[in-house]
């Protein structure tokens, strides 16, 4: 029997690994009735704990339009009252901003940008990012190759062989 | 098996050279492994979803591989002491002490072996005399009876049954024991049934062992893979048993290190010394790299073990639930990573069921009879495979069974 106090965490872990599993299957895996699982999921959706359901794509395997990623280290001057949040608020809604982190160290923000070309990204940095009041400097690093993302290894490592029948 | 040199002018084949049998009768008379036979059949087919394996589908934790790679870069590829590197023996001793409160002296009571497989072999060779018998609860791992036989002894099967949750009962032992019985082989959590034993049940077995003055080989290789809150009982912790028990364990299952071949025996010094005497001549030592990896696994692998166990547990419930939904009588396994459903309701024998399922639906399970005659009426299906594979396999098994009715 799953520990009820951690039921949401257990369900979230399972969904994070495979969001196509049904409440029925998850219920089986955790020895909990399916309707209980469905209710917990609904609650997590309502509270925003579950943000959305999506698939992990290895874009290198698809002949789609090119996607370019870059990490931009940003140094900024915090504002009175809001600190760094004001700058963050200016940035988060751009579709080009894939992720945005406030970080410790020499830089203040790490902005992950996603664009269709290097020019696209250079353009965004120059026209949108560097000009935000309070932004003192930017350092752009383009991604050349993705080996692992969000826990998934994207290198073509061969699958280890296993015998099909063993004692 | 009479062998003669041909006199009809044909060139002699290698089997026919000389006038005497080349293969020792004890070896020649070993029955072929049912698993091997089935493996050969599966090998001839494509697109098989296999629930026939007996090993984890996880990769070896990377910190273990990383440590091994580092050791290779440093050139640590020489022999180790026969007993194994002292760091590993000390770690094993500490690990068992933490888990079960049982104490073994790393200097004289721990021996590192090439898997539990070697442990079983040398434990029996070190303790059996010609004509001795060993009680072997069945269905069980395929090596027990074979090793007893090769050690000059003889296995006496002690059937366990689904009605009793495949647990070993004192009355079954009493019915099987003979005057020449020297020892008892235990394998809990069980491959192939997934059965576990409680402390009270093991206590009964321990009393039997005392009453008949036996030794015990306790293969606890699945000790960490237990579910539903079951607490594994380390047999040596039962009153009076430490002195009579050769504890066998290893890294294959809990740490997903099957191919690295590391196991160990823990036993009183005289028995350890006897086993080491065989090991030093027959194996010299366990692979140095693997021993280093094993020490790393004990030092930093606990998180990975727990992550894997939690994952097996979820897959266990999926597979057992699905098998029950199909109307199969499926005993609730609480250990290892196997289910052992009864397929009697289909009217087929284990072999027929497994071969037809393979031919008609391309799903491999192992006939229960591979683990002893009393495995008839069952098949072993392993859930150490991806959820996608489990889902596909379950759909195919369901289709197969529906067609039979
Ligand atoms: C019950 C049991 N004992 C021992 C072994 C052999 O393990 P090792 O890899 O340590 O030789 C296995 C492997 O399947 C097993 O199931």
């Amino acid at each position: 029997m799953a520990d009820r106090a951690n039921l949401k965490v257990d369900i979230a872990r399972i969904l994070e690994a495979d969001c196509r599993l049904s409440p029925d299957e998850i219920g089986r895996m955790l020895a909990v009735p399916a309707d209980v699982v469905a209710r917990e999921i609904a609650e997590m959706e309502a509270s925003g704990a579950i943000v959305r359901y999506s698939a992990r794509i290895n874009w290198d395997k698809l002949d789609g339009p090119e996607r370019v990623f870059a990490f931009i280290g940003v140094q900024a001057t915090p504002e009175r009252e809001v600190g760094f949040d004001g700058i963050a608020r200016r940035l988060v809604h751009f579709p080009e901003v894939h992720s945005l982190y406030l970080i410790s160290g020499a830089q203040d923000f790490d902005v992950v940008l996603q664009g269709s070309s290097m020019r696209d990204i250079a353009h965004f940095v120059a026209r949108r990012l560097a000009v935000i009041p309070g932004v003192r400097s930017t350092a752009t690093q383009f991604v050349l190759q993705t080996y692992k993302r969000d826990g998934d290894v994207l290198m073509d490592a061969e699958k280890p062989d296993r015998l099909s029948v063993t004692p | 098996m009479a062998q003669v040199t041909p006199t009809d002018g044909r060139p002699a084949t290698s089997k026919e050279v000389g006038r005497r049998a080349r293969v020792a009768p004890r070896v020649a008379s070993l029955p072929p492994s049912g698993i091997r036979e089935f493996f050969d059949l599966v090998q001839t087919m494509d697109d098989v979803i296999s629930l026939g394996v007996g090993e984890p589908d996880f990769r070896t934790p990377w910190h273990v591989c990383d440590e091994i790679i580092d050791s290779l870069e440093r050139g640590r590829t020489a022999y180790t002491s026969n007993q194994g590197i002292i760091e590993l023996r000390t770690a094993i001793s500490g690990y068992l002490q933490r888990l079960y409160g049982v104490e073994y002296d790393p200097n004289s009571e721990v021996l590192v072996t090439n898997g539990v497989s070697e442990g079983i072999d040398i434990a029996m060779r070190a303790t059996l005399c010609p004509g001795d018998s060993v009680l072997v609860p069945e269905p069980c791992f395929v090596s027990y009876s074979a090793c007893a036989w090769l050690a000059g002894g003889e296995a006496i099967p002690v059937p366990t049954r689904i009605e009793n949750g495949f647990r070993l009962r004192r009355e079954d032992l009493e019915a099987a024991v003979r005057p020449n019985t020297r020892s008892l082989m235990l394998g809990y959590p069980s491959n192939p049934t997934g059965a576990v034993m409680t402390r009270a049940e093991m206590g009964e077995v321990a009393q039997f062992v005392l009453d008949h003055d036996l030794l015990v080989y306790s293969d606890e290789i699945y000790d960490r893979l237990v579910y539903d809150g079951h607490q594994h009982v380390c047999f040596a912790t039962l009153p009076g048993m430490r002195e009579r028990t050769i504890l066998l364990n290893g890294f294959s299952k809990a740490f997903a290190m099957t191919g690295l071949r590391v196991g160990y025996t823990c036993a009183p010094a005289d028995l350890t010394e006897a086993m080491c005497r065989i090991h030093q001549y027959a194996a010299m030592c366990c692979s140095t790299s693997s021993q280093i990896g094993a020490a790393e696994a004990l030092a930093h692998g606990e998180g990975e073990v727990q992550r894997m166990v939690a994952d097996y547990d979820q897959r266990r419930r999926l597979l057992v639930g699905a098998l029950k939904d199909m109307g199969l009588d499926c005993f609730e396994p609480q250990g290892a990573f196997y289910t052992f459903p009864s397929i009697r309701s289909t009217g087929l024998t284990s072999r027929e069921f497994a071969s037809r399922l393979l031919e008609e639906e391309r799903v491999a399970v192992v006939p229960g009879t591979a683990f002893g005659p009393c495995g008839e009426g069952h098949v072993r299906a392993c859930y150490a495979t991806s959820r996608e594979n489990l889902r596909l396999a379950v759909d195919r098994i369901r289709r197969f069974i529906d067609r039979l009715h």
Side-chain angles (χ1 to χ4, degrees), chain A residues 1-2 10 14 17-18 20-21 24-31 157-167, chain B residues 35 39 42-43 50 52-57 59 141-142 191 314 317-318 321-322 325 366 380 384 387-388 391:
Chain A
M1 193 57 140
D10 288 340
I14 291 172
D18 181 357
R20 289 183 311 168
L21 290 172
D24 185 51
E25 282 172 297
I26 296 172
R28 281 216 162 141
M29 288 157 69
L30 297 175
E158 74 262 45
K159 257 195 146 166
D161 281 341
R162 277 213 296 168
L163 300 176
S164 49
V165 181
T166 55
Chain B
I35 294 248
F39 172 73
V42 175
Q43 282 309 92
S50 184
V53 295
E55 64 180 329
D57 64 325
R59 294 180 84 123
F141 180 55
V142 296
N191 171 10
Q314 295 179 354
R317 291 177 175 144
L318 277 180
D325 283 353
V366 183
R380 189 191 75 178
R387 264 196 298 266
E388 286 70 32
R391 198 178 296 151

Side-chain angles (χ1 to χ4, degrees), chain B residues 209-381:
Chain B
V209 166
L210 284 176
D211 292 349
H212 293 270
D213 188 21
L214 304 179
L215 288 174
V216 174
Y217 322 113
S218 188
D219 176 355
E220 304 185 15
I221 193 165
Y222 294 103
D223 65 335
R224 304 304 309 280
L225 308 188
V226 291
Y227 316 104
D228 285 342
H230 175 77
Q231 300 280 323
H232 173 73
V233 183
C234 177
F235 195 74
T237 61
L238 289 154
M241 289 302 108
R242 187 187 177 288
E243 288 312 305
R244 296 175 171 269
T245 300
I246 298 178
L247 170 60
L248 305 162
N249 207 333
F251 295 81
S252 287
K253 316 293 174 169
F255 295 92
M257 288 169 57
T258 42
L260 291 171
R261 315 298 311 125
V262 203
Y264 52 89
T265 65
C266 294
D270 58 330
L271 294 175
T272 300
E273 149 65 16
M275 289 187 286
C276 191
R277 222 176 280 177
I278 306 172
H279 172 79
Q280 72 185 346
Y281 294 125
M284 176 75 91
C285 66
C286 170
S287 149
T288 304
S289 313
S290 299
Q291 292 189 56
I292 290 166
E296 168 63 21
L298 289 185
H300 303 113
E302 190 54 32
E304 296 266 349
V305 171
Q306 298 196 2
R307 188 177 61 76
M308 291 190 273
V309 173
D311 215 274
Y312 289 136
D313 189 16
Q314 295 179 354
R315 297 188 238 167
R316 172 183 74 104
R317 291 177 175 144
L318 277 180
L319 184 58
V320 172
L323 293 171
K324 283 184 174 162
D325 283 353
M326 289 174 208
L328 295 180
D329 184 7
C330 188
F331 155 76
E332 189 87 29
Q334 288 186 301
F337 36 51
Y338 309 104
T339 58
F340 202 60
S342 163
I343 48 92
R344 279 186 207 285
S345 59
T346 63
L348 301 177
T349 66
S350 300
R351 266 213 79 83
E352 285 165 351
F353 185 96
S355 329
R356 283 186 55 185
L357 179 62
L358 181 63
E359 270 153 33
E360 296 173 27
E361 292 289 349
R362 294 285 190 272
V363 175
V365 296
V366 183
T369 44
F371 309 98
C374 72
E376 182 54 86
H378 295 267
V379 294
R380 189 191 75 178

Side-chain angles (χ1 to χ4, degrees), chain A residues 94-159:
Chain A
F94 284 111
E96 291 89 342
V97 175
H98 176 275
S99 313
L100 176 61
Y101 305 98
L102 184 66
I103 56 176
S104 63
Q107 314 277 357
D108 298 304
F109 287 102
D110 188 14
V111 189
V112 182
L113 291 182
Q114 166 183 254
S116 54
S117 66
M118 286 192 174
R119 266 191 55 164
D120 227 31
I121 284 178
H123 207 72
F124 184 88
V125 173
R127 295 268 308 275
R128 300 288 180 198
L129 179 54
V131 296
I132 294 173
V135 168
R136 285 186 283 124
S137 75
T138 64
T140 302
Q141 295 162 304
F142 284 103
V143 172
L144 303 180
Q145 174 91 53
T146 307
Y147 295 112
K148 182 172 182 178
R149 202 180 63 221
D150 297 340
D152 297 309
V153 175
L154 304 180
M155 288 174 90
D156 270 331
E158 74 262 45
K159 257 195 146 166

